[in-house]
Amino acid sequence: MTAGTLIEGALRRERALVVGCLLFVISLSWAYLLMGAGMMEEMGDMLMPMSSGPWTPGHALLVLAMWAVMMAAMMLPSAAPMLLLHATLARRQGERGEPAAASGAVAAGYLTTWVAFSLAATTLQYALEQAALLSPMMQTSSRVLAGVVLIAAGLYQWTPLKQACLRHCRSPLDFVMTQWRPGTRGAFAMGLRHGTVCVGCCWMLMLLLFVGGVMNLAWIAGIALFVMVEKLSPAGHWIGRGAGLLLIIWGVATMFVAA
């Protein structure tokens, strides 16, 4: 058996391990959301979102966990190409330790940035509830606010910052080659860097959850699917801009046309 054959076999095992871990975490995250993410209560024979109540430390942690798990469920699928590429290059470059473990450090750094975003989203949810702008379905009760968020999200799709972040997200090979850091600590730093760019690309899209409902699973899945298409489709840049125009039109209609 040649050295090349051994390396290719190792690469296949690394990719299979990374894919398996990703599928496990993503499946577990979606299962948690499907079960209500701790934010549902029984009303007769049905599960309904918990009404706004006092923001105790326990409730705040529950909301933070909901957002963090939601971000993992929505964003890890679109990060999979970068994680697989990292595992492949780590093996080819003879990284010490298990390349799959280094890729796990990249994923941990990536998710850390989304946990930071989740903390900001939790704070925003608290502010909206205190201002009586959020319904028990965790959806904005103000047409004006909904319209403003839709228009802002649509405009952001056309900004240079959005386009720059999207280019990085759509080019995992370029990112890995230019941002490579050796070792587990370096891999974690790479994940932080990639996650920061990804948050810069998608943060306004995540705020649309307040328009469609934070626990509206169809809305969550729809945004997650759009993020994947925008990042992975060859026409992703144009799809993103087209979606921006639709969001602006939708926001104007929400504010000035809808009854």
Side-chain angles (χ1 to χ4, degrees):
M1 185 177 294
T2 66
T5 302
L6 290 173
I7 292 175
E8 287 303 318
L11 286 174
R12 284 194 293 270
R13 289 193 295 273
E14 297 293 346
R15 286 193 290 265
L17 181 58
V18 171
V19 169
C21 290
L22 278 173
L23 288 175
F24 176 75
V25 174
I26 293 169
S27 299
L28 203 62
S29 299
W30 278 106
Y32 183 67
L33 295 178
L34 287 169
M35 290 188 296
M39 302 301 296
M40 310 291 278
E41 60 184 352
E42 290 190 12
M43 299 286 289
D45 295 329
M46 299 178 62
L47 284 175
M48 298 293 289
M50 288 191 295
S51 300
S52 300
W55 273 70
T56 63
H59 181 72
L61 285 175
L62 192 61
V63 175
L64 176 60
M66 175 196 69
W67 275 100
V69 173
M70 192 186 308
M71 293 303 101
M74 296 175 72
M75 302 309 302
L76 275 178
S78 62
M82 188 274 293
L83 294 172
L84 289 170
L85 183 60
H86 179 274
T88 299
L89 292 179
R91 170 63 69 181
R92 290 190 181 279
Q93 292 192 13
E95 283 280 299
R96 292 183 177 181
E98 289 294 329
S103 295
V106 176
Y110 179 81
L111 289 175
T112 297
T113 61
W114 282 107
V115 170
F117 171 84
S118 298
L119 181 59
T122 299
T123 303
L124 178 58
Q125 182 171 331
Y126 169 77
L128 291 173
E129 285 194 15
Q130 296 306 301
L133 292 174
L134 208 62
S135 73
M137 297 293 291
M138 287 179 272
Q139 177 183 17
T140 178
S141 55
S142 167
R143 285 196 299 112
V144 173
L145 179 59
V148 168
V149 173
L150 287 165
I151 293 171
L155 291 173
Y156 187 71
Q157 291 292 106
W158 286 80
T159 62
L161 177 59
K162 164 71 182 193
Q163 295 303 312
C165 291
L166 182 57
R167 280 193 298 273
H168 280 285
C169 291
R170 286 172 53 81
S171 305
L173 178 59
D174 180 67
F175 173 82
V176 172
M177 296 302 293
T178 58
Q179 302 295 325
W180 184 267
R181 301 289 186 275
T184 303
R185 184 176 298 179
F188 184 80
M190 286 179 65
L192 286 175
R193 169 67 177 172
H194 188 66
T196 300
V197 172
C198 192
V199 171
C201 179
C202 300
W203 71 278
M204 277 302 306
L205 293 174
M206 297 302 115
L207 294 187
L208 292 175
L209 289 165
F210 288 113
V211 176
V214 174
M215 283 303 294
N216 183 335
L217 292 176
W219 189 243
I220 295 170
I223 295 176
L225 179 60
F226 173 77
V227 168
M228 285 189 63
V229 170
E230 186 181 44
K231 289 185 178 181
L232 305 181
S233 168
H237 279 293
W238 294 109
I239 292 172
R241 289 187 176 99
L245 288 176
L246 291 176
L247 286 170
I248 293 170
I249 294 170
W250 186 3
V252 171
T254 299
M255 292 179 67
F256 301 109
V257 178

